[in-house]
Amino acid sequence: MHAASPQQAAQAGSSDAPASQTPRDLRRVDIHPDHWYPLAWSREVKAGRAHGVSFAGDPIVIVRTESGRVFALEDRCAHRQVPLHAGVVDGESIRCCYHGWTYDCSGRCTDVPYLGRERLPNGVRAYPCREAAGLVFVFPGDPLLADTAVFPELASASDKAYKTRRFGREVQCHYTFMHENLMDMNHQFLHRRQMGRMRARSLGRRRGEDWVEVDYTFAREEGRQPIGEALVFGQKRGKDGSDDPEGAHKDVMTIRTAYPYQTLRIHTKDGTMVMDLWIVYVPLDREQRTNRTFGLLSIRRPKFGALLDAAWPLLVWFTERIFKEDRWIVEREQEAHDRQGADHNQEVFPVINDLRALLTERGAPAGMRPAHGFDTRRVHLIQPVTEAPAP
Amino acid sequence: MHAASPQQAAQAGSSDAPASQTPRDLRRVDIHPDHWYPLAWSREVKAGRAHGVSFAGDPIVIVRTESGRVFALEDRCAHRQVPLHAGVVDGESIRCCYHGWTYDCSGRCTDVPYLGRERLPNGVRAYPCREAAGLVFVFPGDPLLADTAVFPELASASDKAYKTRRFGREVQCHYTFMHENLMDMNHQFLHRRQMGRMRARSLGRRRGEDWVEVDYTFAREEGRQPIGEALVFGQKRGKDGSDDPEGAHKDVMTIRTAYPYQTLRIHTKDGTMVMDLWIVYVPLDREQRTNRTFGLLSIRRPKFGALLDAAWPLLVWFTERIFKEDRWIVEREQEAHDRQGADHNQEVFPVINDLRALLTERGAPAGMRPAHGFDTRRVHLIQPVTEAPAP
Amino acid sequence: MHAASPQQAAQAGSSDAPASQTPRDLRRVDIHPDHWYPLAWSREVKAGRAHGVSFAGDPIVIVRTESGRVFALEDRCAHRQVPLHAGVVDGESIRCCYHGWTYDCSGRCTDVPYLGRERLPNGVRAYPCREAAGLVFVFPGDPLLADTAVFPELASASDKAYKTRRFGREVQCHYTFMHENLMDMNHQFLHRRQMGRMRARSLGRRRGEDWVEVDYTFAREEGRQPIGEALVFGQKRGKDGSDDPEGAHKDVMTIRTAYPYQTLRIHTKDGTMVMDLWIVYVPLDREQRTNRTFGLLSIRRPKFGALLDAAWPLLVWFTERIFKEDRWIVEREQEAHDRQGADHNQEVFPVINDLRALLTERGAPAGMRPAHGFDTRRVHLIQPVTEAPAP
């Protein structure tokens, strides 16, 4: 259906290349499910209510029971597949809105109002679930791996030396475009109207087994530092109090993808971290053409902390404008991919090529999940009821 | 393209099962065209006007001539395939709006303004068509079977002992979900906000060659009978005038699918039918993922009939709310099917399993109509004009 | 996927018919790219701005530099495929909005802000481009053929004896429906509410290698000549000053498709051309299911030219209403094609059959462009950068 990409064409030409080394289209690499992903903000899941979310096309219901406990189930009743999130929270269980089938936090069916207890059908899949830093995390992969999987550090969000903004939005693109967008600081040109002309200088890159990172400094090419940026990055002054573009060089920005999360941190030359962004891009649909972004942006409070609070609305406005521009451009990238049917990016920046390799290698192996439809793992969880009850 | 359902997977595992016994996905079973289907309300087809409708993706124009006669043709001009319903009713014929080709009630082309009469091309397909009870019925299948096919009884709609409400709406789901929804009265839980908590008791089920039926009684589990329900089902009182849940047991509700129609009737213990609902779900699109519902709801007039007229707006409001909830849930069922790519329902209620078998057996055989595009039967009706006229 | 058309079915039945003679579905014949097509009005492309357009699914950016020069490039940055039309015109170049890659009028990449000049990657495809009569023309085919391809004559648009109206609109249909609609004047029936009942008489047809034309006269069947029509075609009076339908016969309308353009001209019996319409239908999407129409309608000024100016708004209103009806009907034709999956037109008018043959023969050969995705010709223009710069 789709034309070959130049890389694929080239690969096909050399017949001695083993098939396993054929480069995958990065935009068709599914995110690996064996990680903890935030699927909702805690405030979205009210006590005694159910909240429907999605991970890569799998509907998931997050339930907060009347006692305040949170659990996550497949968001389909085992009976007729309708969403459980439209149901009724009943004590510590959820009851389907249609015929009243009831499930506990493990997904077990505990009641069908018109069937005897001895005949209860099997239930639905449950997902490991926990809350941290105002986020509800779910482990969508193999549940046996949930306990040993690394849970992300969200330290600055609970550190009183920082003020943290929670933000995010649905973006209509593959999650990999988000990683590349943030990591390639040469895209400052996109934000020229918000930030003036800045030149990023890459100081070096490093790579580990499941991470890539790069350091930058910035120099202003023209114009003055905008006030929104001063709030985020700190005001730069020379010895005489005038704007000092060289002074900017002393701050170092480090951007790191530690799969599947991303961080952006700014340290001053004395080693103080003045900004700490933690961000993750959760695929919503099965083809992973959309993502919901969850971000925690922590800014170190200055000595006179009230100044930061007073300036906060301006910071929100500034970051929203930046985020809006980024969202617009990555959606254009996805659009180009959809029309071209393959990844035709001609990347020239080494750290981005490292990042692309990382995202490909750490992503879900091809064929791990069917392109459409039904997660076959579920078949084993639900057995058809063979003995039907007497009417 | 689609993952196998658990049933299909199980089937595939036993290699000695004959292919013909592989269970079909009920949501891919087309409705059988060899029945009379209402495609419009009589009031929608005004004299001297043409009205475009659809049966399972086939566009059909219903024409009411100036004399009041109704006929039905394929809604495409034989010339350039544009809809005839945009044309002009001219006496007892319809003239295409584009180049003025004219067709009579049999679909014969009787005039092309710029061609001699001796060169007229073949016309378009005509459908058997008749009116009853304020509905225009069309026979979309083999026209030779129209006369012998059973025409549905709509007796209560013309019986003055009953007041009849005509209702319906487009619903975005396969017609089979509609049958199951109505027949499984355990779904009263869905209407708990409208009707309080009711428990249905199945008294028994029966099945014939082309029908399935089930009887129910109801008991109120909590709350009082709502006034809307009292209007439909009659008010239930105990000997002392208080609400009498046991009294409800004396009324029997019988729901019957007599393919392809469905009825719901309530009889009191003395055998009086107090409510008679006749309903049918007509697929609109070729994939039969949407249907238009046509319902006739007849309520027996009480001794003081004016009471029913006075209460009618309340009854309309009540039934609309029930219908809205039902529509919402069956659309969620269709949505789940579309996402799962197969029917994963785990049905435990015997009469519904009987109904599913009936709908599968009586539906159109697989391959009766192409999944997309052109009805091949039409090829034989229209011959290309081989002798072109002189300019 | 699609059912066979009757013609195809017939063809398949005679096994001795050579495959190469199987008739192509006219609605799947792509327009031939080796012609000059207008892609924008000159006024849409302002100095120092970039304007994004489309030819058959290929995104094209038209740039007007600060000096006023116009050039056309593929509307995708070679780097990350985002649209160049969102970029910044910088002198005589265009700079991509994302990372600032810069291209000159030949498509050559002349700057990547963070790469040395010696390492510049290859650029993007450039299209031959020229302006005439207020239109920006682009040559989307083989650029080596641009100079020798016939550039359309737009004479009346610059002739002061005529007043010219520029008009057009997007229409949701294959371009071939547009040609047939205009050439078959038997469709006057469609415009009966605007123009009364007119009968077209075909005087004869002619055909050359890349053109078809037909002459018509018209007779009024009923009603009076509407004032809008009198403005376009001239007022017809008999010797006694009354309406003279026979007088109309003396004007001859000639409609000609000279591939890929179309003209409609009216000459009076003394040989004066009173109306000259030049029109072309440019496919927008890859499947060529939509087109943008560009029309130049030139009306000969009467002796007292101010009369025409005064009546102009009425003429605009009249032609817009006619065009609206035509657009509606051709979109219904496309809709029928989409649903039927093949071309089931039963054409009986000889000149239209000639026209259909011409459009098929002169269209792009089957397989010239992939149905989806990537234009393979581009692969040869862009070489991947193999030597990545040091960070």
Side-chain angles (χ1 to χ4, degrees):
Chain A
M1 293 288 282
H2 293 107
S5 72
Q7 294 95 318
Q8 287 172 327
Q11 195 74 30
S14 61
S15 60
D16 52 347
S20 62
Q21 288 180 21
T22 302
R24 293 173 70 190
D25 181 338
L26 179 56
R27 314 313 171 188
R28 299 185 199 280
V29 173
D30 287 346
I31 211 165
H32 205 293
D34 290 340
H35 296 275
W36 286 96
Y37 291 95
L39 299 191
W41 299 104
S42 292
R43 61 177 160 69
E44 293 177 306
V45 192
K46 293 178 175 53
R49 293 297 188 86
H51 181 64
V53 296
S54 184
F55 176 83
D58 287 346
I60 295 174
V61 58
I62 301 174
V63 177
R64 194 183 297 275
T65 66
E66 284 164 18
S67 72
R69 182 181 173 185
V70 166
F71 65 85
L73 305 179
E74 181 180 6
D75 192 12
R76 289 177 183 131
C77 180
H79 178 212
R80 299 190 63 91
Q81 315 299 315
V82 295
L84 288 176
H85 75 253
V88 177
V89 175
D90 191 357
E92 301 299 299
S93 297
I94 175 112
R95 190 174 279 274
C96 176
C97 72
Y98 200 178
H99 301 81
W101 291 31
T102 306
Y103 304 91
D104 67 13
C105 67
S106 71
R108 195 166 56 93
C109 182
T110 56
D111 186 38
V112 172
Y114 49 98
L115 274 191
R117 298 264 157 171
E118 71 287 358
R119 288 175 167 148
L120 288 178
N122 283 329
V124 297
R125 180 177 175 184
Y127 293 88
C129 181
R130 53 190 279 197
E131 279 187 286
L135 287 163
V136 180
F137 285 82
V138 167
F139 194 87
D142 180 349
L144 299 176
L145 304 177
D147 285 341
T148 53
V150 175
F151 193 82
E153 283 182 43
L154 308 162
S156 301
S158 56
D159 184 338
K160 290 188 176 174
Y162 295 84
K163 184 174 172 75
T164 295
R165 173 162 191 244
R166 291 170 166 76
F167 72 100
R169 206 68 59 89
E170 280 194 30
V171 185
Q172 306 295 313
C173 76
H174 197 251
Y175 64 95
T176 56
F177 288 114
M178 305 296 286
H179 280 269
E180 293 179 80
N181 169 267
L182 187 63
M183 193 163 276
D184 188 349
M185 277 290 141
N186 297 306
H187 90 268
Q188 290 298 316
F189 186 72
L190 178 68
H191 304 305
R192 64 200 176 276
R193 280 180 294 254
Q194 312 308 326
M195 304 183 76
R197 294 285 273 268
M198 300 280 284
R199 173 163 297 228
R201 293 195 185 156
S202 163
L203 302 184
R205 64 192 208 269
R206 295 170 293 281
R207 182 169 175 188
E209 196 189 352
D210 64 351
W211 57 271
V212 168
E213 70 180 15
V214 60
D215 294 328
Y216 292 101
T217 58
F218 290 88
R220 180 161 303 282
E221 291 193 300
E222 57 184 44
R224 293 173 60 95
Q225 186 186 32
I227 192 161
E229 184 194 313
L231 286 163
V232 183
F233 302 106
Q235 197 173 3
K236 302 302 162 198
R237 288 191 178 280
K239 290 170 186 171
D240 59 354
S242 64
D243 280 8
D244 172 20
E246 292 309 310
H249 285 200
K250 289 153 193 164
D251 286 358
V252 175
M253 176 188 286
T254 303
I255 303 172
R256 176 184 177 102
T257 290
Y259 194 89
Y261 316 110
Q262 200 166 35
T263 54
L264 183 157
R265 288 176 176 140
I266 300 176
H267 289 85
T268 57
K269 66 173 171 177
D270 64 4
T272 307
M273 183 171 67
V274 292
M275 178 173 145
D276 180 14
L277 169 68
W278 180 88
I279 195 161
V280 64
Y281 320 104
V282 181
L284 295 176
D285 59 315
R286 186 159 293 272
E287 299 213 326
Q288 310 206 358
R289 286 286 177 276
T290 57
N291 73 83
R292 188 175 180 195
T293 293
F294 292 88
L296 302 174
L297 174 63
S298 301
I299 305 289
R300 188 170 183 83
R301 292 179 187 277
K303 284 177 189 166
F304 305 97
L307 280 178
L308 187 60
D309 293 334
W312 201 250
L314 186 60
L315 181 136
V316 169
W317 174 85
F318 178 72
T319 52
E320 282 298 310
R321 291 190 60 165
I322 299 288
F323 190 72
K324 187 178 174 185
E325 289 177 338
D326 284 327
R327 183 170 52 170
W328 183 84
I329 198 75
V330 291
E331 292 184 345
R332 296 297 76 69
E333 291 195 274
Q334 180 65 57
E335 211 167 72
H337 185 275
D338 290 344
R339 295 176 102 179
Q340 296 180 298
D343 185 16
H344 291 290
N345 289 9
Q346 305 286 341
E347 193 48 64
V348 297
F349 193 49
V351 69
I352 298 301
N353 281 322
D354 282 356
L355 173 62
R356 292 164 64 93
L358 176 79
L359 293 170
T360 304
E361 291 160 20
R362 306 301 297 187
M368 188 173 185
R369 289 154 47 104
H372 296 283
F374 187 65
D375 185 338
T376 51
R377 285 171 298 186
R378 198 181 150 209
V379 176
H380 309 295
L381 299 176
I382 304 178
Q383 301 301 326
V385 176
T386 47
E387 282 186 77
Chain B
M1 292 286 282
H2 291 108
S5 71
Q7 294 97 319
Q8 287 173 328
Q11 196 76 32
S14 60
S15 59
D16 52 348
S20 62
Q21 288 180 21
T22 302
R24 293 172 70 190
D25 181 338
L26 179 56
R27 315 311 173 189
R28 299 186 199 280
V29 173
D30 287 347
I31 212 166
H32 204 295
D34 290 340
H35 295 276
W36 287 96
Y37 291 95
L39 299 190
W41 300 104
S42 293
R43 61 177 160 68
E44 293 177 306
V45 192
K46 294 178 174 52
R49 292 298 188 84
H51 181 65
V53 295
S54 184
F55 176 84
D58 287 346
I60 295 175
V61 58
I62 301 175
V63 176
R64 194 181 298 276
T65 67
E66 285 165 17
S67 73
R69 182 181 172 185
V70 166
F71 64 85
L73 305 178
E74 181 180 7
D75 193 13
R76 289 178 182 129
C77 180
H79 178 212
R80 298 190 64 90
Q81 316 300 316
V82 294
L84 288 176
H85 76 252
V88 177
V89 175
D90 191 356
E92 301 300 298
S93 297
I94 175 114
R95 190 174 279 273
C96 177
C97 72
Y98 199 0
H99 301 83
W101 291 31
T102 306
Y103 304 91
D104 68 13
C105 66
S106 72
R108 196 167 56 92
C109 182
T110 57
D111 185 39
V112 172
Y114 49 96
L115 275 190
R117 299 264 157 169
E118 71 288 0
R119 289 174 167 149
L120 289 178
N122 284 329
V124 296
R125 179 176 175 185
Y127 293 88
C129 182
R130 52 190 281 197
E131 279 186 288
L135 287 163
V136 181
F137 286 82
V138 166
F139 194 87
D142 180 348
L144 299 177
L145 303 178
D147 285 341
T148 52
V150 175
F151 194 82
E153 283 182 43
L154 308 162
S156 300
S158 55
D159 183 339
K160 290 188 175 174
Y162 295 84
K163 183 172 172 77
T164 296
R165 170 158 196 245
R166 292 171 165 76
F167 72 99
R169 207 67 60 89
E170 281 193 31
V171 185
Q172 306 295 313
C173 77
H174 197 253
Y175 64 95
T176 55
F177 289 114
M178 305 296 285
H179 279 270
E180 292 178 81
N181 169 267
L182 187 63
M183 193 163 277
D184 188 350
M185 276 292 140
N186 297 306
H187 89 269
Q188 289 298 316
F189 187 72
L190 179 68
H191 304 304
R192 63 199 178 276
R193 281 181 292 255
Q194 312 307 326
M195 304 183 76
R197 293 285 274 269
M198 300 281 283
R199 173 163 297 230
R201 294 196 184 155
S202 163
L203 301 184
R205 63 190 209 268
R206 294 171 292 281
R207 178 162 179 193
E209 196 190 353
D210 65 351
W211 58 270
V212 167
E213 71 180 13
V214 59
D215 294 329
Y216 292 101
T217 57
F218 290 87
R220 179 161 304 281
E221 291 191 299
E222 58 183 46
R224 292 173 60 96
Q225 186 186 33
I227 192 160
E229 183 194 314
L231 286 162
V232 182
F233 301 106
Q235 197 172 1
K236 302 300 161 201
R237 289 191 178 279
K239 289 171 188 172
D240 60 352
S242 64
D243 279 8
D244 172 21
E246 292 309 309
H249 285 198
K250 289 154 193 164
D251 287 358
V252 174
M253 176 188 285
T254 304
I255 304 172
R256 177 184 177 102
T257 290
Y259 195 89
Y261 316 110
Q262 201 167 33
T263 54
L264 182 157
R265 288 176 177 141
I266 300 175
H267 290 84
T268 56
K269 66 174 170 175
D270 64 4
T272 307
M273 182 170 69
V274 291
M275 179 175 144
D276 181 15
L277 169 68
W278 180 90
I279 195 161
V280 64
Y281 320 105
V282 182
L284 295 175
D285 59 316
R286 185 159 295 274
E287 298 213 326
Q288 310 207 358
R289 285 286 177 278
T290 57
N291 73 83
R292 188 176 179 194
T293 293
F294 291 89
L296 301 174
L297 174 63
S298 300
I299 305 289
R300 187 169 184 85
R301 292 179 186 278
K303 283 178 189 167
F304 305 97
L307 282 178
L308 187 61
D309 294 335
W312 201 249
L314 186 60
L315 180 136
V316 169
W317 174 84
F318 179 73
T319 52
E320 282 298 309
R321 291 190 61 165
I322 298 288
F323 190 72
K324 189 178 174 185
E325 289 178 337
D326 284 327
R327 183 169 52 171
W328 183 83
I329 198 74
V330 291
E331 292 184 346
R332 296 298 75 70
E333 290 195 273
Q334 179 65 57
E335 211 167 73
H337 184 275
D338 290 343
R339 296 176 101 179
Q340 296 181 300
D343 185 16
H344 291 290
N345 289 9
Q346 304 286 341
E347 193 48 63
V348 297
F349 193 47
V351 69
I352 298 302
N353 281 322
D354 282 357
L355 173 63
R356 291 163 64 91
L358 176 81
L359 293 170
T360 304
E361 291 160 20
R362 307 302 296 186
M368 188 174 185
R369 291 154 45 106
H372 295 283
F374 187 65
D375 185 339
T376 50
R377 285 172 299 189
R378 195 178 152 212
V379 176
H380 309 296
L381 299 177
I382 304 178
Q383 302 300 328
V385 176
T386 48
E387 282 187 76
Chain C
M1 292 286 283
H2 292 108
S5 72
Q7 294 96 321
Q8 286 172 327
Q11 196 74 31
S14 60
S15 60
D16 52 349
S20 63
Q21 288 179 22
T22 302
R24 293 172 71 188
D25 181 337
L26 179 56
R27 314 311 171 190
R28 298 186 200 279
V29 173
D30 287 347
I31 212 165
H32 205 294
D34 290 340
H35 296 275
W36 286 96
Y37 291 95
L39 299 190
W41 299 103
S42 293
R43 60 178 160 69
E44 293 177 305
V45 192
K46 294 178 175 51
R49 293 297 189 85
H51 181 65
V53 295
S54 185
F55 176 84
D58 287 346
I60 295 174
V61 58
I62 302 175
V63 176
R64 194 181 297 276
T65 67
E66 285 165 17
S67 72
R69 182 181 173 186
V70 166
F71 65 85
L73 304 179
E74 181 180 7
D75 193 12
R76 290 178 183 129
C77 180
H79 178 212
R80 297 189 64 90
Q81 317 299 316
V82 295
L84 288 175
H85 76 252
V88 177
V89 175
D90 190 356
E92 301 299 299
S93 296
I94 175 113
R95 190 174 279 272
C96 177
C97 72
Y98 199 0
H99 301 82
W101 290 31
T102 307
Y103 304 91
D104 68 12
C105 67
S106 72
R108 195 165 56 93
C109 181
T110 57
D111 185 38
V112 171
Y114 49 97
L115 274 191
R117 298 264 157 171
E118 71 287 359
R119 287 174 167 148
L120 288 178
N122 283 328
V124 296
R125 180 176 175 184
Y127 293 88
C129 182
R130 54 190 281 197
E131 279 187 286
L135 288 163
V136 181
F137 285 82
V138 166
F139 194 88
D142 181 348
L144 299 176
L145 304 177
D147 285 342
T148 52
V150 175
F151 194 82
E153 284 183 43
L154 308 162
S156 301
S158 56
D159 184 339
K160 292 188 176 175
Y162 295 84
K163 183 173 172 76
T164 295
R165 174 162 189 243
R166 291 170 167 76
F167 71 100
R169 207 68 58 90
E170 281 193 31
V171 184
Q172 305 296 312
C173 77
H174 196 251
Y175 65 95
T176 56
F177 288 114
M178 305 295 286
H179 279 270
E180 293 179 79
N181 169 267
L182 187 63
M183 193 163 277
D184 188 349
M185 277 291 141
N186 297 307
H187 90 268
Q188 289 299 314
F189 187 71
L190 179 69
H191 304 304
R192 63 199 176 276
R193 281 180 294 255
Q194 312 307 326
M195 303 183 77
R197 292 284 273 268
M198 300 280 286
R199 172 163 297 230
R201 293 194 185 156
S202 164
L203 301 183
R205 64 192 209 267
R206 294 170 293 280
R207 181 168 175 190
E209 196 190 353
D210 64 352
W211 58 270
V212 168
E213 69 180 14
V214 60
D215 294 329
Y216 292 101
T217 58
F218 291 87
R220 179 161 303 282
E221 291 192 300
E222 58 184 45
R224 292 174 60 95
Q225 186 185 33
I227 193 160
E229 182 194 313
L231 286 162
V232 183
F233 300 107
Q235 197 172 3
K236 301 302 161 199
R237 291 192 175 278
K239 289 172 187 172
D240 58 354
S242 64
D243 278 7
D244 173 19
E246 292 309 311
H249 286 199
K250 288 154 194 165
D251 287 357
V252 174
M253 176 188 285
T254 303
I255 303 172
R256 176 183 177 104
T257 290
Y259 195 89
Y261 316 109
Q262 200 167 34
T263 53
L264 182 158
R265 289 177 174 137
I266 300 175
H267 290 86
T268 56
K269 68 173 170 176
D270 65 4
T272 308
M273 182 169 68
V274 292
M275 178 174 144
D276 181 15
L277 169 69
W278 180 89
I279 194 161
V280 65
Y281 320 105
V282 181
L284 295 176
D285 60 316
R286 186 159 295 273
E287 298 213 326
Q288 311 207 358
R289 286 285 177 276
T290 57
N291 73 82
R292 189 176 178 193
T293 293
F294 292 89
L296 302 174
L297 174 64
S298 301
I299 305 289
R300 187 168 184 86
R301 292 178 186 278
K303 284 178 189 169
F304 305 97
L307 282 177
L308 187 61
D309 293 335
W312 201 250
L314 187 59
L315 181 136
V316 168
W317 174 85
F318 179 72
T319 52
E320 282 298 309
R321 291 190 59 165
I322 298 288
F323 190 72
K324 188 178 173 184
E325 289 178 337
D326 284 328
R327 184 171 50 171
W328 183 84
I329 199 75
V330 291
E331 292 184 345
R332 297 297 77 69
E333 291 195 273
Q334 180 65 55
E335 211 167 74
H337 185 275
D338 290 344
R339 295 177 101 179
Q340 295 181 299
D343 186 16
H344 291 289
N345 289 8
Q346 304 287 340
E347 193 48 62
V348 297
F349 193 48
V351 69
I352 298 302
N353 280 322
D354 282 358
L355 173 63
R356 291 164 65 93
L358 176 80
L359 292 170
T360 304
E361 291 160 20
R362 307 301 297 188
M368 189 174 185
R369 290 154 47 104
H372 296 282
F374 187 65
D375 186 339
T376 50
R377 285 171 299 187
R378 199 180 150 210
V379 176
H380 309 296
L381 298 177
I382 304 179
Q383 302 300 326
V385 176
T386 48
E387 281 186 77

